[in-house]
Amino acid sequence: MTDIREEIAKILSPHIDGMTEEEIKQLVEVPADTSHGDYAFPCFKLAKLMRKAPPLIAAELAEKIKDAELFESVEPINAFLNMFISREFFTREVLSEVLSEADRFGGSGEGGGKTVIVEFSSPNIAKPFHIGHIRTTVIGNSLYKIFDFLGYKVVRMNHLGDYGTQFGKMITAYRHWGSREEVEAAPIKTLLAYYVRFHEEEKNDPSLTEEAREAFAALERGEKEEKELWQWIRDESLKEFRRVYDMMDIDFDDWSGESFYTDKMPAVIEELKEKGLLKESQGAQIVDLEPYGLTPAIITKSDGTSIYLTRDLASAIYRKKTYDFSKSIYVVASQQDLHFKQLFKVLELMGYEWAKDCVHVNFGMVSLPEGTLSTRKGRVVFLEDVLNTAVEKTREIVLEKGVNAELIDETSKTVGIGAVMFNELSSGRIKDYVFDWDEILNFDGETGPYVQYTHARCASVLRNAAEKFGDAAPKAGDAEGIRLSSLLTPAAYELTKLIYTFPDAVEDACRKYEPSVITRHIIRVAQGFNKFYHDEHILVDDAEERKAKLLLTYASMQTIRNGLGLLGVKAPERM
Ligand code: ARG
C-alpha cells in the first residue's frame, strides 16, 4: 500500500534542502488530536537549515504543497504543518490495494524466507488431549500462519511427550489387565484407565512398581517387545490426536517428540561436562544457575535417568543444526516459565549465541465454570468433546435462527469449531480466562460467529448485486477512474481506515506473538461493516455509486477473510 508518510516526504522533499526524504519521513507524525490533521510535520529542525523561524517555514511550505492531489487541505499552525489527506484519494488507494493483493492483503515479504520454528500443542502420549491443550494448539497454529503470511519459512513442530518412566507403568498395566481391542476402540480413555488402575494396585502390590521400572529399563535398552508396545501406544494415541487436529484443520511438519532426543542426550551431557558447567548435588548432576537468580537446572537425576530439561537441551541444539532457525518459538503455558528460563540460560552458558533467538510464548490458564462442562473433581474434559459440544450447540442455535437447511451440517461445524478457536485468540494470551459457552457462541457479541456471519453477509450482498443488477465480481483495477465520493460518509470512511490499518495489526501481532491483535482488529472491521450496512443503502440504482459501495463491501470481506485465515478460522460464504 502507498505509505502515506512516504508520499508526504516525497512531496515535501523538493522544498527542503539538507534533509533526505527518509529523514523527512521520520519526522512526519500522526497527531493525537485529529483536528490537527491526519498527519503533521514539525518544522523546528528546519529552522537551522533554512535560517528562518519555524512558523514562517510552516506557512511557506503549506503554500507550496497544498495543491498536491494527496491533500484535502494543508494548514500551518505555529511550527507545524497540519495535513488533511484527501479522503477520496485515500479511499482509492486502500481499495486498489485490497483488490490487487486479495488473499495476500495484509501480508508481506519481510521474513525474506528466514526459518522460524513454531513448536506448539505437544500433548503427552497416552494421556488425555484435554481442554488445557487448546491454547497452545490454537495460538501456535495462528502464529504459524502469521509468520508464514509475512514471508517466513515456518516449521511446525509437535514435541510430543512420548517418553518417560510412565511408559514402564503403562506397559506393565497393559500386560496385566489390557486388551488390544479395548485400546484400539478408545485408545486414550482406555490407556488412562489402565494407568489409574496401576496406581491403585501398586499401593498394595510393590512388585508392580519393580516390574514397571524393569519395563522402562527394557524400553530404554530398546528391547523388541517393549519398544513395539510403546510404538503401538504412540501410534494409537496419535490417531486420536490427529482426529482432533483434523477437526481444527491443524497439521505439523515435525512430530519428533521427546523420545527422538534420548540418544542425543549423552553428547549434550558430555558437552556440559567439557564446558565445566556440571556440578554434583546430592547425587544429581546440575547446572548451577544461582548467579542468575534461578534454581539449579537438573541434568541427570540421582538414579542416573535423564529428564525433561535435558531432552529439551538436546532438542534445541538439534533444531538449530537441522533447521538453522532465525527464531525458535515454544508455545507453552506460563506454568513452565521457569523451565524455559533455565533452558535458555543453560544454552547461553554453553556458548550458543543463538540462545537469544529462542522465545517462550507463554499463556494463562483456561478454567471451566462448574456445571456447564462438568468439571467434576478430577474428571478431565477432552478437547474433542468440547469441539463436538460446540458443533451441537451451534446446530441448535442456527436451527432456531432458520438457516439454509442444506448447509446445516457444514455451518454447525464451521461456526461451532470456529467459535471455540476464535475465542482462544480473543484476549491477550497471558490472561487466565473462564470458558463460557454463552459468551463464545453469542452471534451478537465480539465472537467468531459474529465475524463469520459478517463475512457471509458481505458475500451475500455481492451475490445479490450479481443477481439483481448483473454486477460482475470486483477485481483488481476496479477502483481506478470511478467516483468514490459516496464512500466519504463517516461510516464508510471509518471502515476504510480500519481496512487500511489491517496490515499493521498483522505485523504487530507477529512482533508481540499475540494473535489477539488480529482478532480485535477484525472484530472492529466487522463492526465497521455492519454499521455501514445499516446506515447506508448499498444496492442503489446509480451504477457508479453502487459499484463504489460494492468495492468497499468486497474489501471488508477480504480483510475479514484474511484475518480469520490467520487465526485458523474458516470464513463461510453463506450461513
Ligand atoms: N508435553 C509437555 C506438556 O504437556 C509440553 C512440552 C512443551 N515443549 C517443550 N519443548 N518442553 O506439559
Side-chain angles (χ1 to χ4, degrees):
M1 174 124 30
T2 307
D3 179 339
I4 294 193
R5 289 166 69 223
E6 200 169 297
E7 279 306 298
I8 293 173
K10 259 188 217 151
I11 294 168
L12 281 171
S13 179
H15 310 292
I16 299 174
D17 289 331
M19 239 188 225
T20 64
E21 219 171 273
E22 185 54 34
E23 285 164 339
I24 297 171
K25 178 183 163 185
Q26 291 313 321
L27 287 175
V28 176
E29 51 193 52
V30 176
D33 178 350
T34 49
S35 72
H36 292 160
D38 300 309
Y39 293 89
F41 181 74
C43 299
F44 304 104
K45 290 224 168 112
L46 298 184
K48 226 179 168 174
L49 286 173
M50 298 188 162
R51 297 174 190 286
K52 275 181 212 163
L56 184 60
I57 297 172
E60 285 179 5
L61 283 175
E63 202 48 43
K64 285 179 183 145
I65 67 169
K66 70 178 191 336
D67 294 327
E69 197 206 356
L70 179 64
F71 303 119
E72 197 85 59
S73 66
V74 178
E75 293 168 7
I77 305 274
N78 300 324
F80 287 87
L81 200 53
N82 293 344
M83 296 165 274
F84 295 83
I85 302 300
S86 154
R87 295 189 166 200
E88 192 161 345
F89 175 90
F90 175 77
T91 301
R92 194 181 313 284
E93 283 292 319
V94 175
L95 296 179
S96 299
E97 173 80 5
V98 181
L99 286 163
S100 69
E101 292 287 299
D103 287 346
R104 294 278 325 143
F105 173 64
S108 76
E110 72 156 57
K114 281 190 294 227
T115 299
V116 169
I117 294 180
V118 182
E119 186 222 283
F120 63 105
S121 200
S122 309
N124 299 325
I125 293 295
K127 292 266 182 73
F129 192 9
H130 58 80
I131 179 80
H133 291 115
I134 193 171
R135 303 211 82 185
T136 166
T137 306
V138 173
I139 294 170
N141 181 54
S142 177
L143 288 177
Y144 146 64
K145 296 196 179 242
I146 294 168
F147 275 94
D148 181 68
F149 203 47
L150 295 180
Y152 292 85
K153 185 173 168 297
V154 189
V155 180
R156 295 163 293 178
M157 285 191 118
N158 196 331
H159 189 72
L160 294 166
D162 59 359
Y163 203 75
T165 49
Q166 73 270 25
F167 288 97
K169 298 178 189 172
M170 199 76 74
I171 289 170
T172 304
Y174 175 73
R175 280 176 172 156
H176 282 267
W177 318 293
S179 111
R180 207 169 181 99
E181 297 76 54
E182 219 180 19
V183 172
E184 279 168 1
I188 310 257
K189 281 177 188 157
T190 308
L191 290 167
L192 185 67
Y194 294 165
Y195 192 66
V196 170
R197 178 155 176 198
F198 178 91
H199 281 282
E200 268 160 22
E201 307 235 352
E202 188 188 23
K203 283 183 214 142
N204 307 319
D205 185 357
S207 76
L208 282 173
T209 318
E210 195 39 52
E211 220 181 301
R213 208 195 320 274
E214 191 34 55
F216 180 63
L219 179 62
E220 283 215 289
R221 287 194 302 271
E223 306 228 348
K224 193 159 175 283
E225 200 183 313
E226 281 76 7
K227 191 98 197 268
E228 270 171 17
L229 274 173
W230 169 82
Q231 186 66 49
W232 174 64
I233 292 174
R234 190 185 196 272
D235 292 346
E236 288 299 316
S237 303
L238 262 195
K239 265 190 217 158
E240 193 162 331
F241 294 164
R242 274 193 193 270
R243 200 165 65 224
V244 184
Y245 291 134
D246 284 348
M247 289 173 88
M248 294 185 283
D249 215 355
I250 290 177
D251 202 359
F252 296 87
D253 305 299
D254 185 321
W255 298 81
S256 294
E258 292 186 39
S259 63
F260 179 76
Y261 302 102
T262 36
D263 65 356
K264 295 166 185 62
M265 284 188 311
V268 176
I269 297 171
E270 200 45 46
E271 188 181 335
L272 286 164
K273 219 177 269 166
E274 268 167 29
K275 292 182 171 163
L277 293 168
L278 278 193
K279 248 194 192 168
E280 190 173 318
S281 167
Q282 293 159 0
Q285 295 289 322
I286 63 151
V287 177
D288 180 15
L289 297 178
E290 215 198 312
Y292 313 100
L294 297 171
T295 48
I298 302 172
I299 303 298
T300 58
K301 290 193 251 183
S302 50
D303 62 3
T305 54
S306 65
I307 58 158
Y308 184 52
L309 179 71
T310 319
R311 280 190 289 276
D312 256 326
L313 282 170
S315 172
I317 295 168
Y318 175 86
R319 290 177 198 195
K320 183 65 190 179
K321 274 198 192 125
T322 310
Y323 297 109
D324 192 25
F325 57 74
S326 67
K327 210 167 255 184
S328 180
I329 295 169
Y330 298 79
V331 186
V332 184
S334 327
Q335 280 110 312
Q336 297 194 29
D337 281 357
L338 173 63
H339 170 76
F340 284 101
K341 279 190 189 135
Q342 292 176 320
L343 173 64
F344 300 161
K345 186 47 93 178
V346 175
L347 288 169
E348 186 191 316
L349 294 174
M350 290 173 88
Y352 291 121
E353 55 79 35
W354 49 263
K356 65 172 187 349
D357 305 323
C358 295
V359 187
H360 175 207
V361 171
N362 56 2
F363 52 85
M365 281 208 315
V366 198
S367 55
L368 304 156
E370 211 52 54
T372 45
L373 266 166
S374 170
T375 45
R376 260 176 291 141
K377 260 219 183 111
R379 223 198 89 179
V380 274
V381 177
F382 284 80
L383 183 48
E384 186 171 18
D385 295 341
V386 172
L387 295 176
N388 282 327
T389 307
V391 175
E392 275 158 42
K393 282 183 180 280
T394 307
R395 181 188 294 275
E396 281 164 31
I397 296 173
V398 288
L399 273 178
E400 227 168 80
K401 284 188 184 285
V403 292
N404 198 324
E406 286 158 45
L407 294 174
I408 184 78
D409 285 340
E410 203 186 317
T411 303
S412 327
K413 264 192 215 150
T414 315
V415 176
I417 292 171
V420 172
M421 294 174 77
F422 189 96
N423 178 63
E424 282 311 315
L425 303 167
S426 294
S427 37
R429 59 183 157 79
I430 214 67
K431 262 176 48 190
D432 292 345
Y433 83 98
V434 180
F435 195 94
D436 178 347
W437 282 120
D438 292 336
E439 225 171 83
I440 293 171
L441 294 175
N442 179 356
F443 275 58
D444 302 315
E446 300 188 343
T447 60
Y450 172 77
V451 175
Q452 285 177 321
Y453 186 74
T454 308
H455 179 270
R457 170 176 274 173
C458 294
S460 140
V461 170
L462 292 166
R463 278 195 303 272
N464 289 342
E467 265 166 42
K468 251 176 107 176
F469 299 96
D471 291 338
K475 58 176 189 318
D478 277 5
E480 311 305 326
I482 88 160
R483 176 162 51 81
L484 297 175
S485 49
S486 62
L487 301 183
L488 304 184
T489 59
Y493 194 62
E494 280 312 307
L495 177 56
T496 303
K497 284 209 281 195
L498 286 168
I499 294 170
Y500 173 68
T501 47
F502 174 68
D504 298 338
V506 177
E507 225 174 80
D508 200 32
C510 182
R511 237 190 341 268
K512 295 177 176 152
Y513 311 105
E514 186 63 272
S516 65
V517 175
I518 294 172
T519 315
R520 307 309 308 166
H521 198 86
I522 56 171
I523 288 172
R524 289 176 66 203
V525 173
Q527 289 167 337
F529 177 77
N530 286 319
K531 182 161 172 38
F532 169 67
Y533 178 87
H534 285 295
D535 287 7
E536 318 211 4
H537 185 35
I538 298 179
L539 298 181
V540 291
D541 288 331
D542 181 292
E544 200 172 16
E545 179 179 338
R546 192 173 67 243
K547 172 116 201 179
K549 288 176 168 171
L550 287 174
L551 289 184
L552 183 57
T553 302
Y554 172 88
S556 309
M557 177 175 83
Q558 185 73 60
T559 306
I560 292 173
R561 177 158 63 221
N562 293 5
L564 284 174
L566 292 174
L567 305 178
V569 175
K570 295 206 171 75
E573 296 275 323
R574 295 165 196 268
M575 262 167 80

